[in-house]
Amino acid sequence: MLENPRSPRVRAVAKLAKKPARIESGLFLLEGPQAVAEALTFRPQLVVELYATPTALERYTDIAQTAVDAGVDVEFVTEEVLDAMADTVTPQGFVAVCHQFPTAVKDVFAAGPRLIAILEEVRDPGNAGTIVRAADAAGADAVVFTGRTVDLYNPKVVRSSTGSIFHLPVAVGGHLEDVLERARAAGLTVLAADVKGDDLLSARTEGVLERPTAWLFGNEAHGLPDEQLALADRVVTVPIYGHAESMNLATAASVCLYESAFAQRSVGHE
């Protein structure tokens, strides 16, 4: 059992909460039973190290069995060691170190997607991770993080995705203009989500959402500037019928992605 929270090995794991260490090592931090279970089930080859407290492994026997089946060794650690490794206050007994595995932007569009989400300058890691999760839930084919968006492997992004980063391709680092050019070349209609746009209902009734679509989502504070909105085929907004001053970006993105998913399935595209 690893017992010293100040050991070099523990410090090396903890450093992965910072971007420079992730860039240098090509690794990232994974925390909590749900995320660890998804990694072991869908991408076990990415798991480099897996740490757990004895209590957590006894509680989550399914994770223990999945690790055995995947050939991944589990190293026991104390609660103090786990707390020192983790970025969260309550890692719930599990921490893993994984290889980063971004998809190339060109490969996203070469696969013939019908629904993708593009994030441009999305800075809040909770929003970014939640949009990945929503895209996964809506059956989207991929997500693209442009180079101005928060790091995909930021621990808060990873946590907010709740394991969805292991389910669908996520490309990182592309320039928005290049990404949109590739989207159009792949036959996708680019819809920008912004408060300046048309009511989402109009896009739905006109059949726009039934087409292969790339949704473009911008910065939480100032949205998409006019020059970027001009790059879209259409600008659409999620209407607010109540008295809320505004809508959270991730919530609005979830609505947009699901509206597209509903529309595409209504005409037989899955």
Side-chain angles (χ1 to χ4, degrees):
M1 180 180 289
L2 193 55
E3 298 179 331
N4 183 2
R6 291 178 293 278
S7 71
R9 191 173 181 187
V10 173
R11 288 201 299 270
V13 174
K15 282 182 180 178
L16 295 175
K18 304 298 183 182
K19 190 173 182 179
R22 295 196 298 273
I23 292 174
E24 181 180 354
S25 66
L27 303 172
F28 72 101
L29 193 62
L30 194 64
E31 304 173 52
Q34 182 63 40
V36 166
E38 297 301 312
L40 290 172
T41 300
F42 290 91
R43 302 273 190 151
Q45 72 278 11
L46 299 175
V47 181
V48 179
E49 299 168 355
L50 176 55
Y51 302 96
T53 63
T55 302
L57 214 59
E58 288 177 8
R59 180 179 180 185
Y60 296 95
T61 55
D62 54 334
I63 295 180
Q65 187 58 55
T66 303
V68 170
D69 294 342
V72 176
D73 293 330
V74 182
E75 180 155 1
F76 285 131
V77 296
T78 63
E79 293 282 357
E80 292 76 18
V81 164
L82 203 76
D83 289 344
M85 288 178 170
D87 181 60
T88 56
V89 177
T90 54
Q92 296 181 276
F94 290 92
V95 165
V97 174
C98 298
H99 289 293
Q100 297 175 23
F101 58 109
T103 301
V105 172
K106 63 181 179 63
D107 292 339
V108 165
F109 297 105
R114 291 196 59 82
L115 180 60
I116 69 168
I118 301 169
L119 279 59
E120 163 67 8
E121 203 181 348
V122 174
R123 298 297 192 183
D124 182 83
N127 277 333
T130 301
I131 293 173
V132 172
R133 184 180 183 184
D136 179 22
D141 299 294
V143 178
V144 178
F145 282 41
T146 66
R148 290 156 56 85
T149 290
V150 64
D151 180 20
L152 170 62
Y153 300 106
N154 177 301
K156 293 180 181 177
V157 176
V158 176
R159 286 198 302 275
S160 298
S161 82
T162 324
S164 284
I165 63 168
F166 298 110
H167 299 166
L168 78 170
V170 183
V172 300
H175 293 287
L176 181 61
E177 291 79 3
D178 174 62
V179 171
L180 296 184
E181 184 178 332
R182 289 180 182 273
R184 286 204 180 84
L188 296 168
T189 297
V190 178
L191 299 181
D194 192 90
V195 295
K196 301 174 185 175
D198 302 326
D199 191 313
L200 179 62
L201 182 60
S202 65
R204 180 178 182 181
T205 56
E206 293 168 24
V208 175
L209 301 183
E210 297 170 7
R211 306 170 191 166
T213 298
W215 276 103
L216 173 59
F217 304 110
N219 181 265
E220 296 87 348
H222 53 73
L224 293 159
D226 290 341
E227 59 269 22
Q228 292 181 347
L229 292 174
L231 299 174
D233 296 305
R234 187 162 179 170
V235 182
V236 179
T237 188
V238 178
I240 295 176
Y241 299 123
H243 301 291
E245 181 272 330
S246 63
M247 187 179 292
N248 171 268
L249 172 64
T251 302
S254 300
V255 173
C256 294
L257 290 164
Y258 259 96
E259 283 289 346
S260 285
F262 293 149
Q264 291 183 4
R265 280 160 175 72
S266 71
V267 293
H269 296 296
E270 298 187 7

